[in-house]
């Protein structure tokens, strides 16, 4: 082989490896031609979002289209269940989220819910799930984790993280435990800025790291890094870009050998500080194996920009070729695992199909007793949704209550609305005030207090983190805003009305 031919071969290998470490998104419900072409050139993963999904049948056809180009393609999705759903983005999830499962605290139930969720993903051709969230929600004012966590208790979060990983992977879908080394003690959303966690090493070891150790012991196939600065571990770089955290802590100290995936690189914690090209190079150099991008940037130009940045970094010596090759090999190894463990995805009967609603019912905490209720007026106080959840997925019990009680009336009330407006619209009806993380939104708490004072028979449904004292004649904490959580709450309200 001539020197020129050898250089060309090496360059081709680096280019294929650079494509292999990318997990890009795309627009549309069918695969664009550019994506299929890049799969043929070495792209090994794709990421799906709500915009790519119209129905289970359509999703199955889409993944079959991708798999026709590469039979071991990794098809990833951010499907936590609960508030964060892509599979059921237009109607709300059939499964409660982590906080509801933690509230029940039955690891067998968590395992079964995750397995059924995994079965539905596998049935649609999805084989990598960016879930579960192993974050310990130690800061109740956390704007981005909240109900996505199993709870504020470290060991509860650990045992349910492990159960979730086991259940999901029993369905043949690789789990991606996130957000390492723990996003629960932040008061900033990393979609908008770079959060910082100022705790010592002992606290990190005793709190944040425990659920991740449990996930590793349970065999999680992937771990997702967090875009957070943890000065006790690395005073200068966020975890996604930190060799001390990804290689030193996760690989060497915790002994993790699976795939390390970054959180979305277009999130402002990275894009606004390092830029996605430099950030992607630094992430791979630090020990990450796969670059998640596509939640906001979902075109061919982004894929080519990142591919070329990685190739140029190898050529210039900023990124070792061996490190890029190792990262690509880990991606391909997980792809091979998913191809070799394709599950039996036949439905498992009525228990499996209804397990989400069963779990949501068990997660309810009902305080108080309703008096004689009239036809309900559902007033949903709507905060701005965080980006991880999105604002396109409906939430709340109004639609489910209307299905049970056709006489139900309902309206949405954003920030700026007043209790007087709600009372005027309700008339003689019983007010059902629906809130989400009322403790984090002073305007919401003020409206709620005024409603309860004016109408002591008010029913309150808290669908976020239940921090405030129960108020109203009847208070229902659902521990999440999934569709099944709304259904479970609606059943309680409807029972109080029809019992009169």
């Amino acid at each position: 082989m001539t020197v020129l031919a050898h250089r060309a071969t090496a360059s081709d290998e680096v280019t294929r490896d650079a494509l292999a470490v990318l997990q890009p998104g795309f627009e549309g419900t069918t695969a664009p031609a550019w994506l299929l072409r890049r799969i043929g050139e070495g792209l090994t993963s794709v990421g799906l979002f709500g915009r790519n999904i119209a129905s289970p049948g359509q999703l199955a056809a889409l993944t079959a289209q991708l798999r026709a180009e590469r039979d071991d393609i990794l098809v990833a999705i951010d499907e936590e269940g609960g508030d964060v759903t892509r599979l059921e983005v237009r109607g709300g999830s059939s499964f409660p989220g982590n906080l509801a499962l933690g509230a029940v605290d039955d690891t067998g139930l968590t395992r079964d819910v995750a397995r059924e969720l995994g079965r539905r993903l596998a049935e649609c051709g999805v084989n990598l799930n960016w879930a579960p969230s192993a974050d310990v929600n130690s800061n109740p004012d956390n704007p981005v984790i909240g109900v996505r966590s199993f709870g504020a208790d470290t060991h509860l979060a650990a045992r349910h993280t492990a159960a979730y990983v086991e259940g999901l992977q029993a369905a043949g879908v690789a789990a991606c435990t996130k957000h390492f080394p723990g996003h629960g003690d932040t008061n900033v959303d990393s979609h908008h800025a770079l959060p910082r966690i100022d705790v010592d090493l002992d606290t990190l070891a005793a709190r944040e790291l425990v659920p991740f150790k449990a996930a590793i012991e349970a065999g999680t196939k992937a771990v997702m890094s967090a875009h957070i600065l943890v000065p006790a571990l690395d005073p200068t770089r966020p975890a996604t870009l930190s060799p001390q955290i990804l290689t030193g802590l996760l690989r060497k100290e915790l002994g993790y050998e699976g795939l390390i995936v970054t959180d979305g690189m277009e999130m402002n914690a990275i894009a606004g500080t390092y830029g996605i090209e430099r950030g992607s190079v630094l992430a791979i150099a630090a020990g990450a194996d796969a670059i998640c991008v596509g939640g906001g940037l979902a075109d061919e130009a982004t894929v080519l920009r990142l591919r070329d940045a990685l190739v140029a970094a190898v050529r210039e010596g900023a990124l070792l070729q061996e490190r890029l090759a190792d990262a690509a090999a880990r991606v391909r190894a997980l792809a091979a695992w998913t191809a070799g463990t394709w599950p039996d995805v036949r439905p498992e009967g009525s228990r499996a199909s209804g397990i989400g609603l069963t779990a949501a019912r068990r997660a309810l905490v009902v305080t108080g007793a309703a008096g004689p209720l009239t036809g309900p007026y559902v007033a949903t106080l709507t905060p701005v949704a965080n980006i991880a959840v999105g604002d396109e997925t409906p939430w709340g019990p109004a639609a489910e209550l209307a299905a049970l009680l056709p006489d139900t009336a309902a309206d949405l009330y954003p920030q700026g609305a007043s209790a007087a407006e709600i009372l005027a619209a309700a008339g003689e009806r019983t007010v059902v005030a629906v809130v989400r993380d009322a403790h984090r939104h002073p305007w919401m708490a003020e409206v709620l207090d005024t409603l309860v004072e004016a109408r002591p028979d008010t029913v309150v449904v808290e669908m976020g983190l239940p921090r405030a004292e129960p108020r109203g004649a009847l208070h229902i904490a659902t521990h999440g805003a999934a569709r099944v959580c709304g259904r479970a709450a609606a059943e309680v309200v409807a029972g109080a009305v029809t019992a009169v």
Side-chain angles (χ1 to χ4, degrees):
M1 180 182 294
T2 65
V3 172
L4 186 60
H6 175 76
R7 286 177 179 171
T9 301
S11 178
D12 290 345
E13 183 179 349
V14 170
T15 300
R16 289 186 68 82
D17 286 347
L19 279 172
V21 303
L22 302 180
Q23 289 189 349
F26 59 94
E27 299 284 349
T29 53
T30 59
W34 70 262
L35 182 67
L36 300 177
R37 182 168 63 253
R38 300 306 171 190
I39 291 172
E41 295 172 0
L43 188 68
T44 311
S45 310
V46 297
L48 300 180
F49 297 86
R51 62 178 179 247
N52 304 121
I53 300 167
S55 68
Q58 168 271 323
L59 179 55
L62 169 58
T63 58
Q65 186 185 14
L66 297 170
R67 205 154 272 116
E69 296 295 322
R70 183 184 183 114
D71 59 5
D72 66 345
I73 188 82
L74 280 174
V75 182
I77 198 168
D78 193 7
E79 181 56 58
E80 299 177 16
D83 291 29
V84 180
T85 180
R86 312 303 180 216
L87 197 60
E88 299 180 275
V89 67
R90 289 167 182 81
S93 182
S94 300
F95 303 92
N98 284 3
L99 188 67
L101 295 172
V104 178
D105 196 12
D106 177 347
T107 54
L109 178 68
T110 295
R111 190 176 295 107
D112 288 346
V113 166
R115 189 174 191 275
E116 174 60 10
L117 177 59
R119 185 193 68 78
R120 294 193 190 184
L121 291 173
E123 195 171 43
C124 295
V126 176
N127 53 14
L128 171 59
N129 191 10
W130 294 320
S133 169
D135 308 297
V136 179
N137 198 56
S138 53
N139 183 350
D141 293 326
N142 193 315
V144 69
I145 302 300
V147 298
R148 301 168 66 197
S149 166
F150 289 109
D153 181 275
T154 297
H155 297 289
L156 178 144
R159 61 180 174 266
H160 285 278
T161 295
Y164 197 105
V165 167
E166 292 164 357
L168 194 62
Q169 294 186 169
V173 175
C176 182
T177 305
K178 59 190 183 185
H179 306 80
F180 187 83
H183 210 308
D185 194 20
T186 62
N187 58 11
V188 172
D189 184 344
S190 49
H191 291 89
H192 300 299
L194 180 61
R196 178 186 177 108
I197 297 182
D198 285 304
V199 297
D200 58 32
L201 290 175
D202 288 343
T203 301
L204 287 168
R207 188 178 66 188
E208 271 75 17
L209 298 183
V210 174
F212 289 97
K213 290 179 181 178
I216 292 169
E217 291 172 4
T220 187
K221 294 295 180 180
V223 169
M224 178 176 282
S225 66
H227 302 332
I228 56 175
L229 189 67
V230 188
L233 297 173
D234 187 331
T236 58
R237 288 187 179 177
T240 294
L241 312 183
S242 170
Q244 293 97 309
I245 294 174
L246 298 189
T247 299
L249 176 58
L250 184 54
R251 289 278 187 229
K252 295 181 179 178
E253 290 188 40
L254 300 186
Y256 176 65
E257 293 295 331
L259 189 75
I260 299 176
V261 183
T262 72
D263 207 343
M265 295 302 285
E266 65 268 58
M267 293 165 63
N268 210 43
I270 298 297
T273 53
Y274 293 85
I276 64 168
E277 292 97 334
R278 183 174 176 233
S280 295
V281 170
L282 291 174
I284 297 295
D289 305 305
I291 301 295
C292 175
V293 65
L297 299 172
D299 54 20
E300 183 177 22
T302 298
V303 173
L304 297 181
R305 282 166 56 199
L306 297 184
R307 179 201 66 183
D308 293 348
L310 291 166
V311 171
V314 170
R315 186 183 306 121
E316 295 162 4
L319 174 62
L320 294 176
Q321 183 176 349
E322 293 80 5
R323 171 77 275 270
L324 179 63
D326 173 65
R330 289 182 190 274
V331 174
R332 295 178 187 127
L334 181 56
W337 177 84
T338 60
T341 58
W342 200 249
D344 179 354
V345 296
R346 292 173 295 181
E348 297 181 358
S350 59
R351 181 176 183 277
S353 62
I355 195 169
L357 181 54
T358 297
R361 287 168 175 157
R362 290 181 62 186
L364 293 183
V365 174
V366 180
T367 306
L373 301 184
T374 60
Y377 177 75
V378 182
T380 303
L381 308 184
T382 57
V384 175
N386 73 55
I387 293 176
V389 174
D391 58 7
E392 58 187 330
T393 303
W395 66 279
E400 297 292 335
L401 187 56
L404 297 172
L405 298 175
D407 187 40
T408 298
D411 283 300
L412 302 178
Y413 291 91
Q415 184 171 355
S418 69
E421 293 176 66
I422 296 172
L423 292 170
E428 298 301 315
R429 291 172 174 271
T430 296
V431 176
V432 179
V434 183
V435 296
R436 196 173 187 176
D437 292 335
H439 69 285
R440 291 201 305 108
H441 303 286
W443 70 270
M444 191 182 293
E446 181 180 350
V447 170
L448 192 57
D449 286 341
T450 305
L451 283 174
V452 171
E453 183 178 355
R455 294 279 295 271
D457 64 337
T458 297
V459 174
V460 178
V461 182
E462 169 61 85
M463 304 198 77
L465 198 67
R467 290 287 296 175
E469 287 297 316
R471 55 194 128 176
L474 183 66
H475 185 280
I476 305 169
T478 63
H479 300 92
R483 177 177 54 80
V484 287
C485 297
R487 174 69 185 194
E491 291 172 347
V492 174
V493 175
V497 172
T498 57
V500 176

